[in-house]
Amino acid sequence: MLKAIIIDDEPDCVKLLALQLKMYCPQIQVVAECTDSQEGLLKITGLLPDLVFLDIEMPVMNGFQLLEKIGQINFSLVFVTAYDQFAVKAFRFSALDYLLKPIDGKDLKAAVEKAEQRKWPDKQQLSLLKQQLQGGEKAFPDKIALPFQNGVTFVEIKNVIYCESDNNYTRFTMLGGQQHTVAKTLGDIQEVLEERNFLRVHRQYLVNLDHIKKYVRGEGNYLTLSNDKNIPVARNQKERLIEKFGWL
């Protein structure tokens, strides 16, 4: 059994999540239901949970302030938030687990399964999330968190040359030749990076436009990138590429 604590200033949300955990995740024992962040802090330090479901926006002390008071985080953490497209991108940038209200049973089970792997959040992940949420939609972090089996790698976005689809995985190719593979589809990555000067030029490739050296037109449309890799350009993406650069 995993001990869990729910912290949310909306009582109905707390009760509903506790009920859903009972229905979908019998391996979870809810040891505290808190509608006050200060009470939540006391329960975390006193009960030493394995898993905490935490709302970010709360009066008196928000979720980030609560985590800062705890210091060392030695439990799995799942943020619970109302739907907001920008907030979702922020979570994906930082590779932190989140659930959207109203919570879907399948999403809840998936979040708990991840928590069972004992992946505790990294301080840099929390910093990335906080930076973007507090800065608003114009606040784009310089780094993105790439999860792997035993942890998280943080890479500079400007150093990502291109991303390549590999079924349900995506391979990042970096300046310098390093590669990182994440268990995300290229569509997921596109949604996160499309506002950071990246463009899906082919069903298999998402490229950093800052790393384009050459564009060759004709029957075999392709790009040459800064690492001399040639990337095909799909016919239906050619116009978007030309529009991006204002090419004639």
Side-chain angles (χ1 to χ4, degrees), residues 4-144:
I5 292 177
I6 303 171
I7 307 172
D8 192 321
D9 65 312
E10 299 180 51
D12 289 344
C13 291
V14 172
K15 290 178 182 177
L16 180 58
L17 179 52
L19 179 62
Q20 288 178 301
L21 285 167
K22 190 173 182 180
M23 290 173 57
Y24 298 110
C25 308
Q27 73 274 37
I28 298 296
Q29 177 190 9
V30 178
V31 294
E33 301 175 20
C34 308
T35 56
D36 177 276
S37 52
Q38 292 178 320
E39 177 194 4
L41 177 60
L42 291 173
K43 293 296 184 182
I44 288 174
T45 54
L47 296 174
L48 303 177
D50 303 298
L51 171 61
V52 172
F53 293 93
L54 179 65
D55 188 17
I56 294 178
E57 295 299 329
M58 294 183 288
V60 183
M61 180 169 56
N62 65 33
F64 289 120
Q65 292 168 329
L66 183 152
L67 293 172
E68 285 170 2
K69 285 186 178 292
I70 289 171
Q72 182 65 36
I73 299 175
N74 53 6
F75 50 81
S76 296
L77 178 64
V78 176
F79 288 101
V80 181
T81 182
Y83 178 78
D84 180 284
Q85 190 173 10
F86 169 69
V88 168
K89 285 188 179 182
F91 283 112
R92 290 178 177 173
F93 256 108
S94 56
L96 284 162
D97 290 326
Y98 64 96
L99 291 168
L100 298 175
K101 300 176 184 177
I103 297 172
D104 178 81
K106 290 182 180 178
D107 292 339
L108 178 59
K109 288 178 70 175
V112 167
E113 286 173 4
K114 286 185 181 180
E116 288 178 311
Q117 298 172 17
R118 297 274 180 170
K119 289 187 177 178
W120 298 340
D122 184 283
K123 284 186 178 180
Q124 196 169 350
Q125 286 176 277
L126 294 169
S127 177
L128 275 177
L129 177 63
K130 183 178 179 181
Q131 174 190 340
Q132 197 173 7
L133 288 179
Q134 293 183 343
E137 294 197 31
K138 293 183 180 179
F140 293 112
D142 296 324
K143 294 183 178 182
I144 185 171

Side-chain angles (χ1 to χ4, degrees), residues 50-243:
D50 303 298
L51 171 61
V52 172
F53 293 93
L54 179 65
D55 188 17
I56 294 178
E57 295 299 329
M58 294 183 288
V60 183
M61 180 169 56
N62 65 33
F64 289 120
Q65 292 168 329
L66 183 152
L67 293 172
E68 285 170 2
K69 285 186 178 292
I70 289 171
Q72 182 65 36
I73 299 175
N74 53 6
F75 50 81
S76 296
L77 178 64
V78 176
F79 288 101
V80 181
T81 182
Y83 178 78
D84 180 284
Q85 190 173 10
F86 169 69
V88 168
K89 285 188 179 182
F91 283 112
R92 290 178 177 173
F93 256 108
S94 56
L96 284 162
D97 290 326
Y98 64 96
L99 291 168
L100 298 175
K101 300 176 184 177
I103 297 172
D104 178 81
K106 290 182 180 178
D107 292 339
L108 178 59
K109 288 178 70 175
V112 167
E113 286 173 4
K114 286 185 181 180
E116 288 178 311
Q117 298 172 17
R118 297 274 180 170
K119 289 187 177 178
W120 298 340
D122 184 283
K123 284 186 178 180
Q124 196 169 350
Q125 286 176 277
L126 294 169
S127 177
L128 275 177
L129 177 63
K130 183 178 179 181
Q131 174 190 340
Q132 197 173 7
L133 288 179
Q134 293 183 343
E137 294 197 31
K138 293 183 180 179
F140 293 112
D142 296 324
K143 294 183 178 182
I144 185 171
L146 305 180
F148 61 95
Q149 187 172 5
N150 298 317
V152 181
T153 298
F154 298 91
V155 301
E156 295 275 354
I157 295 172
K158 66 180 181 181
N159 292 334
V160 179
I161 299 177
Y162 68 94
C163 304
E164 182 178 0
S165 173
D166 185 7
N167 295 317
N168 291 325
Y169 294 83
T170 297
R171 183 164 53 253
F172 283 66
T173 295
M174 309 295 299
L175 197 63
Q178 308 97 324
Q179 292 189 327
H180 305 282
T181 300
V182 297
K184 300 284 183 183
T185 67
L186 189 59
D188 290 334
I189 303 301
Q190 176 186 355
E191 190 175 343
V192 174
L193 292 179
E194 60 188 359
E195 294 176 19
R196 293 302 308 270
N197 212 32
F198 280 71
L199 183 67
R200 182 85 172 263
V201 297
H202 186 274
R203 61 180 177 78
Q204 196 171 354
Y205 295 101
L206 177 73
V207 302
N208 185 339
L209 300 180
D210 290 333
H211 283 280
I212 293 177
K213 284 175 58 178
K214 182 171 63 176
Y215 171 43
V216 178
R217 305 189 196 191
E219 289 188 10
N221 286 293
Y222 68 89
L223 297 169
T224 300
L225 302 182
S226 60
N227 63 346
D228 293 323
K229 169 77 173 179
N230 290 335
I231 299 288
V233 177
R235 279 183 293 179
N236 62 347
Q237 293 299 89
K238 183 173 70 172
E239 294 304 320
R240 286 188 66 203
L241 181 64
I242 292 172
E243 183 182 337

